[in-house]
Structure formats: C-alpha cells, structure tokens
Coordinates of all heavy atoms in Angstrom, one line a residue:
Y167 N -54.1 24.8 2.3 CA -55.4 24.4 2.8 C -56.6 25.0 2.1 O -57.7 24.8 2.4 CB -55.6 24.9 4.3 CG -54.6 24.2 5.2 CD1 -53.5 25.0 5.7 CD2 -54.7 22.9 5.6 CE1 -52.5 24.3 6.5 CE2 -53.8 22.2 6.4 CZ -52.7 23.0 6.8 OH -51.8 22.3 7.7
A168 N -56.4 25.7 1.0 CA -57.4 26.3 0.2 C -58.6 25.4 -0.2 O -59.7 25.8 -0.3 CB -56.8 27.1 -1.0
Q169 N -58.2 24.2 -0.6 CA -59.2 23.3 -1.2 C -60.1 22.6 -0.1 O -61.2 22.3 -0.4 CB -58.6 22.2 -2.0 CG -57.8 22.8 -3.2 CD -58.6 23.5 -4.1 OE1 -59.8 23.2 -4.4 NE2 -58.1 24.7 -4.5
N170 N -59.5 22.5 1.1 CA -60.3 21.9 2.2 C -60.2 22.6 3.5 O -59.8 21.9 4.5 CB -60.0 20.4 2.3 CG -58.5 20.1 2.5 OD1 -57.8 21.2 2.6 ND2 -58.1 18.9 2.4
I171 N -60.4 23.8 3.6 CA -60.3 24.6 4.8 C -61.3 24.2 5.8 O -62.6 24.1 5.5 CB -60.3 26.1 4.5 CG1 -60.2 27.0 5.8 CG2 -61.6 26.6 3.8 CD1 -58.8 27.0 6.4
Q172 N -61.0 23.9 7.0 CA -61.9 23.6 8.0 C -62.1 24.7 9.1 O -63.0 24.8 9.8 CB -61.4 22.3 8.7 CG -61.2 21.1 7.8 CD -62.6 20.6 7.3 OE1 -63.6 20.7 8.0 NE2 -62.6 20.2 6.1
D173 N -61.1 25.6 9.1 CA -61.1 26.7 10.1 C -62.1 27.8 9.8 O -62.0 28.5 8.8 CB -59.7 27.2 10.2 CG -59.5 28.3 11.3 OD1 -60.6 28.7 11.9 OD2 -58.3 28.7 11.6
E174 N -63.3 27.8 10.4 CA -64.3 28.7 10.1 C -63.9 30.1 10.0 O -64.4 31.0 9.3 CB -65.5 28.5 11.1 CG -66.3 27.2 11.1 CD -67.0 27.0 9.7 OE1 -67.6 28.1 9.3 OE2 -67.1 25.8 9.2
E175 N -63.0 30.5 10.9 CA -62.5 31.9 11.0 C -61.8 32.3 9.7 O -61.8 33.5 9.3 CB -61.6 32.0 12.2 CG -61.1 33.4 12.5 CD -60.2 33.4 13.6 OE1 -60.5 32.7 14.7 OE2 -59.2 34.2 13.7
M176 N -61.2 31.3 9.0 CA -60.4 31.6 7.9 C -61.2 31.6 6.5 O -60.8 32.1 5.5 CB -59.3 30.6 7.7 CG -58.2 30.8 8.8 SD -57.4 32.3 8.6 CE -57.1 32.8 10.3
I177 N -62.4 31.0 6.6 CA -63.2 30.9 5.3 C -63.4 32.1 4.6 O -63.2 32.2 3.4 CB -64.5 30.1 5.6 CG1 -64.1 28.6 5.9 CG2 -65.4 30.2 4.5 CD1 -65.3 27.7 6.3
P178 N -63.8 33.2 5.2 CA -64.0 34.5 4.6 C -62.7 35.0 3.8 O -62.9 35.6 2.8 CB -64.5 35.4 5.7 CG -64.9 34.7 6.8 CD -64.2 33.4 6.7
Y179 N -61.7 34.8 4.4 CA -60.4 35.4 3.8 C -60.1 34.5 2.6 O -59.7 35.0 1.6 CB -59.3 35.2 4.9 CG -59.5 36.1 6.1 CD1 -59.7 35.5 7.4 CD2 -59.4 37.5 6.0 CE1 -59.9 36.4 8.5 CE2 -59.5 38.3 7.1 CZ -59.9 37.7 8.3 OH -60.0 38.5 9.4
F180 N -60.2 33.2 2.7 CA -60.0 32.3 1.6 C -60.9 32.5 0.4 O -60.5 32.6 -0.6 CB -60.1 30.8 2.2 CG -58.9 30.2 2.8 CD1 -58.3 30.9 3.8 CD2 -58.3 29.1 2.3 CE1 -57.2 30.3 4.4 CE2 -57.2 28.5 2.9 CZ -56.6 29.2 3.9
K181 N -62.2 32.7 0.8 CA -63.1 33.1 -0.3 C -62.8 34.4 -1.0 O -62.8 34.4 -2.2 CB -64.5 33.2 0.3 CG -65.5 33.5 -0.7 CD -66.9 32.9 -0.5 CE -67.9 33.4 -1.5 NZ -67.6 33.4 -2.9
K182 N -62.3 35.4 -0.2 CA -61.9 36.7 -0.8 C -60.7 36.5 -1.7 O -60.7 37.0 -2.8 CB -61.7 37.7 0.3 CG -61.4 39.0 -0.3 CD -62.5 39.7 -1.0 CE -62.1 41.1 -1.3 NZ -63.1 41.7 -2.2
I183 N -59.8 35.7 -1.2 CA -58.5 35.5 -2.1 C -59.0 34.7 -3.4 O -58.5 35.1 -4.5 CB -57.5 34.7 -1.3 CG1 -56.9 35.5 -0.2 CG2 -56.5 34.2 -2.2 CD1 -56.1 34.9 0.8
Q184 N -59.8 33.7 -3.2 CA -60.3 33.0 -4.5 C -61.0 33.9 -5.5 O -60.8 33.8 -6.6 CB -61.2 31.9 -4.1 CG -60.5 30.7 -3.4 CD -59.7 29.9 -4.2 OE1 -59.1 30.3 -5.3 NE2 -59.5 28.5 -3.8
D185 N -61.9 34.7 -4.9 CA -62.6 35.7 -5.8 C -61.7 36.7 -6.5 O -61.8 36.9 -7.7 CB -63.7 36.5 -5.0 CG -64.8 35.7 -4.5 OD1 -65.0 34.6 -5.0 OD2 -65.5 36.1 -3.5
N186 N -60.7 37.1 -5.8 CA -59.7 38.0 -6.4 C -58.8 37.3 -7.4 O -58.5 37.9 -8.5 CB -58.8 38.7 -5.3 CG -59.5 39.7 -4.5 OD1 -60.6 40.2 -4.8 ND2 -58.9 40.0 -3.2
L187 N -58.4 36.1 -7.1 CA -57.6 35.3 -8.1 C -58.5 35.1 -9.4 O -57.9 35.2 -10.5 CB -57.2 34.0 -7.6 CG -56.2 34.0 -6.4 CD1 -56.0 32.7 -5.8 CD2 -54.8 34.6 -7.1
E188 N -59.7 34.9 -9.3 CA -60.6 34.6 -10.5 C -60.8 36.0 -11.3 O -60.7 36.0 -12.5 CB -62.1 34.2 -10.0 CG -62.1 32.8 -9.6 CD -63.4 32.3 -9.0 OE1 -64.4 33.1 -9.1 OE2 -63.4 31.3 -8.3
Q189 N -60.8 37.1 -10.5 CA -60.9 38.4 -11.2 C -59.5 38.7 -11.9 O -59.5 39.2 -13.1 CB -61.3 39.6 -10.3 CG -62.6 39.5 -9.7 CD -63.6 39.8 -10.8 OE1 -63.4 40.6 -11.7 NE2 -64.7 39.0 -10.8
I190 N -58.5 38.4 -11.3 CA -57.2 38.5 -11.9 C -57.1 37.8 -13.2 O -56.6 38.2 -14.2 CB -56.1 38.2 -10.9 CG1 -55.9 39.3 -9.8 CG2 -54.7 38.0 -11.7 CD1 -55.0 38.8 -8.7
D191 N -57.5 36.5 -13.2 CA -57.5 35.7 -14.3 C -58.3 36.3 -15.5 O -57.9 36.3 -16.6 CB -58.1 34.3 -14.1 CG -57.1 33.4 -13.3 OD1 -56.0 33.7 -13.3 OD2 -57.5 32.3 -12.7
K192 N -59.5 36.8 -15.1 CA -60.3 37.5 -16.2 C -59.6 38.7 -16.7 O -59.7 38.9 -18.0 CB -61.7 37.9 -15.6 CG -62.6 36.7 -15.3 CD -63.9 37.1 -14.7 CE -64.8 35.9 -14.3 NZ -66.0 36.3 -13.6
H193 N -59.0 39.6 -15.9 CA -58.3 40.7 -16.4 C -57.1 40.3 -17.3 O -56.8 41.0 -18.3 CB -57.8 41.6 -15.2 CG -58.9 42.3 -14.5 ND1 -60.0 42.9 -15.2 CD2 -59.2 42.3 -13.2 CE1 -60.9 43.4 -14.3 NE2 -60.4 43.1 -13.1
Q194 N -56.4 39.2 -16.8 CA -55.2 38.8 -17.6 C -55.7 38.3 -19.0 O -55.0 38.5 -20.0 CB -54.5 37.7 -16.9 CG -53.7 38.2 -15.7 CD -53.0 37.2 -14.9 OE1 -53.5 36.0 -14.9 NE2 -51.9 37.5 -14.2
E195 N -56.9 37.7 -19.0 CA -57.4 37.3 -20.4 C -57.7 38.4 -21.2 O -57.4 38.5 -22.5 CB -58.6 36.3 -20.2 CG -59.0 35.7 -21.5 CD -58.0 34.8 -22.2 OE1 -57.2 34.1 -21.5 OE2 -58.0 34.9 -23.4
Q196 N -58.3 39.4 -20.6 CA -58.6 40.6 -21.5 C -57.3 41.3 -21.9 O -57.2 41.7 -23.1 CB -59.3 41.6 -20.5 CG -60.7 41.2 -20.2 CD -61.4 42.2 -19.3 OE1 -60.8 42.9 -18.4 NE2 -62.7 42.3 -19.3
L197 N -56.2 41.3 -21.2 CA -55.0 41.8 -21.6 C -54.4 41.0 -22.7 O -53.9 41.5 -23.7 CB -54.0 41.8 -20.4 CG -54.0 42.9 -19.4 CD1 -53.1 42.7 -18.3 CD2 -53.9 44.3 -20.1
R198 N -54.6 39.6 -22.7 CA -54.0 38.7 -23.7 C -54.8 39.1 -25.1 O -54.1 39.1 -26.1 CB -54.3 37.3 -23.4 CG -53.2 36.7 -22.5 CD -53.5 35.2 -22.3 NE -52.8 34.8 -21.1 CZ -53.5 34.7 -19.9 NH1 -54.7 35.0 -19.7 NH2 -52.7 34.4 -18.8
V199 N -56.0 39.3 -25.0 CA -56.8 39.7 -26.2 C -56.3 40.9 -26.8 O -56.0 41.1 -28.0 CB -58.3 39.8 -25.9 CG1 -59.1 40.3 -27.1 CG2 -58.9 38.4 -25.6
L200 N -56.1 42.0 -25.9 CA -55.6 43.3 -26.4 C -54.2 43.2 -27.0 O -53.8 43.8 -27.9 CB -55.6 44.3 -25.2 CG -56.9 44.7 -24.7 CD1 -56.8 45.5 -23.5 CD2 -57.7 45.4 -25.8
K201 N -53.4 42.2 -26.4 CA -51.9 42.1 -27.0 C -51.9 41.1 -28.1 O -50.8 41.1 -28.7 CB -51.1 41.4 -25.8 CG -50.8 42.4 -24.6 CD -50.0 41.6 -23.6 CE -49.6 42.6 -22.4 NZ -48.8 41.8 -21.4
G202 N -53.0 40.4 -28.4 CA -52.9 39.5 -29.6 C -52.2 38.2 -29.2 O -51.6 37.6 -30.1
V203 N -52.3 37.7 -28.0 CA -51.7 36.5 -27.5 C -52.8 35.6 -26.9 O -53.8 36.1 -26.5 CB -50.6 36.7 -26.6 CG1 -49.4 37.5 -27.2 CG2 -51.0 37.4 -25.3

C-alpha cells in the first residue's frame, strides 16, 4: 500500500519509512564511492 495509502492513521508511518529508505540509499551510494564500486 505504500504507493496509494488511504488510511490517514498510517500516512505518518509510511512517510517516515520512505524518508528512512531514501537516507539509506544515499548512505549506500556514499559507501559505493568509498569502496570504488
């Protein structure tokens, strides 16, 4: 349901998870640069 959540009570949780996933992607990219991959 991440793409089309209708449950208002769940929206803040979904947003927090999405934000965390984006931060993880950024950190993983930084690790790739450091590893030379």
Side-chain angles (χ1 to χ4, degrees):
Y167 298 107
Q169 299 304 318
N170 53 5
I171 182 71
Q172 300 295 322
D173 188 347
E174 292 292 325
E175 185 179 321
M176 293 292 141
I177 290 175
Y179 298 108
F180 275 53
K181 177 150 179 39
K182 182 65 176 169
I183 291 171
Q184 289 286 29
D185 291 345
N186 288 343
L187 289 171
E188 289 172 12
Q189 288 297 320
I190 289 170
D191 286 344
K192 288 178 184 177
H193 291 313
Q194 287 174 334
E195 186 57 36
Q196 290 173 333
L197 283 175
R198 282 187 198 91
V199 170
L200 293 172
K201 290 179 180 178
V203 297

